[in-house]
């Protein structure tokens, strides 16, 4: 729940920033000078790019949440409660690597099953590889659709 609240707060902050940026762009365009108009148009593009990035990430999060609930209803979420932890609370590196290898082998046995890809994304996240976790979750979302 903390992550969802944080996502909403950060999205609201970004939206306020984008509105202020758009306002500045219109001020630049309103100068009537060629340099101001061109700069204003360039600055006006940024809010649209920002909105698109925010939408893509929010949509990804919502789709991932639906998939999580679906797997949770099937009692298929990976359990890492027994893995040893560092003082920071993160899973011990060696334990995370072992967990990852186990999950990777399971996913390899049935590569067309979104559940295996979801668990593999989770294992990447536990191992600290967020980039691969997102890529793998995208594959799980493709297969689940």
């Amino acid at each position: 729940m903390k992550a969802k609240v944080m996502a909403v707060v950060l999205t609201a902050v970004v939206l306020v920033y984008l509105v202020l940026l758009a306002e500045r762009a219109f001020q630049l365009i309103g100068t009537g000078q060629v340099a101001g108009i061109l700069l204003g148009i360039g600055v006006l593009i940024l809010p649209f790019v920002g909105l698109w990035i925010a939408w893509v990430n929010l949509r990804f999060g919502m789709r991932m949440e639906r998939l999580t609930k679906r797997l949770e209803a099937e009692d298929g979420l990976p359990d890492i409660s027994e893995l040893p932890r560092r003082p920071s609370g993160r899973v011990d590196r060696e334990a995370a690597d072992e967990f990852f290898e186990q999950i990777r082998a399971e996913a390899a046995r049935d590569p067309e099953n979104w559940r295996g890809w979801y668990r593999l994304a989770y294992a990447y996240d536990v191992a600290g590889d967020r980039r691969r976790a997102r890529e793998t979750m995208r594959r799980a979302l493709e297969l689940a659709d």
Side-chain angles (χ1 to χ4, degrees):
M1 191 61 155
K2 279 185 184 180
K4 188 184 277 188
V5 170
M6 183 59 77
V8 169
V9 168
L10 289 176
T11 301
V13 169
V14 167
L15 288 175
V16 168
Y17 175 74
L18 294 175
V19 167
L20 294 174
L21 194 59
E23 179 183 354
R24 181 58 57 144
F26 286 121
Q27 288 173 351
L28 285 167
I29 292 169
T31 65
Q33 299 175 356
V34 174
I37 292 170
L38 292 175
L39 191 56
I41 290 170
V43 170
L44 192 57
I45 291 171
L46 293 176
F48 290 107
V49 171
L51 285 171
W52 178 77
I53 291 170
W55 168 247
V56 166
N57 284 300
L58 284 171
R59 185 171 163 257
F60 175 78
M62 290 183 298
R63 290 177 67 209
M64 193 174 85
E65 184 178 14
R66 281 194 302 270
L67 213 56
T68 301
K69 287 179 181 177
R70 191 169 154 191
L71 194 58
E72 185 178 36
E74 298 173 4
D75 199 30
L77 290 176
D79 182 17
I80 61 168
S81 62
E82 299 297 318
L83 296 178
R85 307 272 178 165
R86 297 180 193 168
S88 66
R90 292 191 55 96
V91 174
D92 180 68
R93 183 71 179 165
E94 287 182 23
D97 289 344
E98 287 177 31
F99 176 72
F100 174 79
E101 287 303 321
Q102 174 190 350
I103 298 296
R104 188 175 63 79
E106 290 174 12
R109 284 193 291 272
D110 189 5
E112 296 304 313
N113 187 342
W114 68 266
R115 292 160 185 85
W117 285 93
Y118 180 100
R119 287 190 276 272
L120 185 58
Y122 188 81
Y124 270 123
D125 188 58
V126 169
D129 193 343
R130 294 281 166 90
R131 184 183 60 80
R132 285 195 178 123
R134 287 182 70 86
E135 289 172 10
T136 306
M137 184 57 74
R138 282 188 184 96
R139 178 69 177 140
L141 289 165
E142 287 172 13
L143 289 171
D145 287 341

